[in-house]
Amino acid sequence: MNMLSGADQSDSPPQPAPQNRQLAIDLKGSVFTITVMRLYHNDLAHLERELRHYVAKSPRFFNNAPVVIDVSTLQEPATPIDFKAMAELLRGLHLVPVGVRHADAAQQDAAVAAGLAIMNGGTLKDLPGAQAPPAAGLRRTPPAVEHKKTGASQTQATKVIHQPVRSGQQIYARGGDLVVLAAVNAGAEIVADGNIHVYAPLRGRALAGVQGGTGARIFCQHMAAELVAIAGHYRVFEDAVPREFRDKPVQVHLDKEQLVFTLL
């Protein structure tokens, strides 16, 4: 059987780079906000129950959301993990498993065999609806607003919405702040690369600094949100916002990776 050998190809003179070549792709590094799922054990049945619980609370948020599996919190770090079954479980819940972090050599081999990437770096984030942060995360003492730290507030553009944001509707302010002059209804979602300002009741979900802007803030006239998030740090209110902040003018910011609520 005659086949074109590698030697035949290597003997060919190198082809000059075409002039005025039109690029098909461009490879660059970037930063994304990805949910990190920290494992405390590898009991798939238990994991499925908890995942279903979280997904049921914010189904639109989790729909096709990328997830990184972090094994650093395992009680027995060297525990063998069936990443293939775990990935299938995540996909079955409309999540997208993309990689594994903090795995040892054997776990990395299993992850790669399951089609998952090995992830390095990044900052841990909680799943929406995960265990509420400690009470210290809710403060009454308003911190000084340091504009230099609110890098996200150095906006390229501000998007202003005059109409109410309806349930099921999503508004995204790319590259800047989002100002909403009407109510954000339950089931609606407002998203901004910068800060979010709502001069009316905020009853839906508000996600600021979604490109990793840790200095972003959320300001609202009447806090009644279902979920607030800044740079991937989330707080879900299953029943209602705590009484001390409910229906009051509130701002939300990050302090040492913890969401802090303050009255305005």
Side-chain angles (χ1 to χ4, degrees), residues 130-152:
Q131 196 71 25
L138 297 178
R139 299 181 186 172
R140 275 189 173 279
T141 305
V145 177
E146 300 178 31
H147 293 291
K148 290 183 180 179
K149 291 185 177 179
T150 57

Side-chain angles (χ1 to χ4, degrees), residues 26-207:
D26 187 13
L27 298 177
K28 292 183 178 180
S30 187
V31 177
F32 296 91
T33 298
I34 298 179
T35 298
V36 175
M37 182 179 72
R38 288 175 288 191
L39 288 184
Y40 294 96
H41 53 74
N42 64 345
D43 182 341
L44 287 177
H46 192 175
L47 177 62
E48 181 176 3
R49 285 196 299 273
E50 294 201 3
L51 276 174
R52 288 188 182 281
H53 173 69
Y54 293 139
V55 172
K57 288 193 294 187
S58 303
R60 290 187 66 247
F61 182 87
F62 281 110
N63 190 35
N64 295 321
V67 175
V68 170
I69 303 168
D70 187 308
V71 301
S72 64
T73 45
L74 281 172
Q75 296 177 355
E76 297 180 9
T79 300
I81 300 173
D82 187 348
F83 285 111
K84 184 177 180 181
M86 194 169 293
E88 290 175 354
L89 170 61
L90 291 168
R91 294 189 188 101
L93 295 172
H94 304 292
L95 297 165
V96 182
V98 295
V100 174
R101 56 178 289 172
H102 294 149
D104 63 20
Q107 291 167 339
Q108 288 187 12
D109 289 343
V112 171
L116 300 173
I118 305 303
M119 311 290 288
N120 296 308
T123 303
L124 287 177
K125 317 293 184 193
D126 287 334
L127 282 167
Q131 196 71 25
L138 297 178
R139 299 181 186 172
R140 275 189 173 279
T141 305
V145 177
E146 300 178 31
H147 293 291
K148 290 183 180 179
K149 291 185 177 179
T150 57
S153 67
Q154 300 171 4
T155 57
Q156 301 172 1
T158 298
K159 190 169 191 174
V160 180
I161 304 298
H162 297 266
Q163 298 82 18
V165 185
R166 302 182 304 274
S167 178
Q169 186 178 9
Q170 184 191 63
I171 303 292
Y172 177 32
R174 187 185 302 279
D177 286 6
L178 175 63
V179 176
V180 183
L181 302 176
V184 179
N185 294 326
E189 188 170 270
I190 52 175
V191 183
D193 291 344
N195 304 303
I196 289 177
H197 307 256
V198 181
Y199 296 98
L202 169 57
R203 302 189 182 97
R205 296 181 289 272
L207 298 88

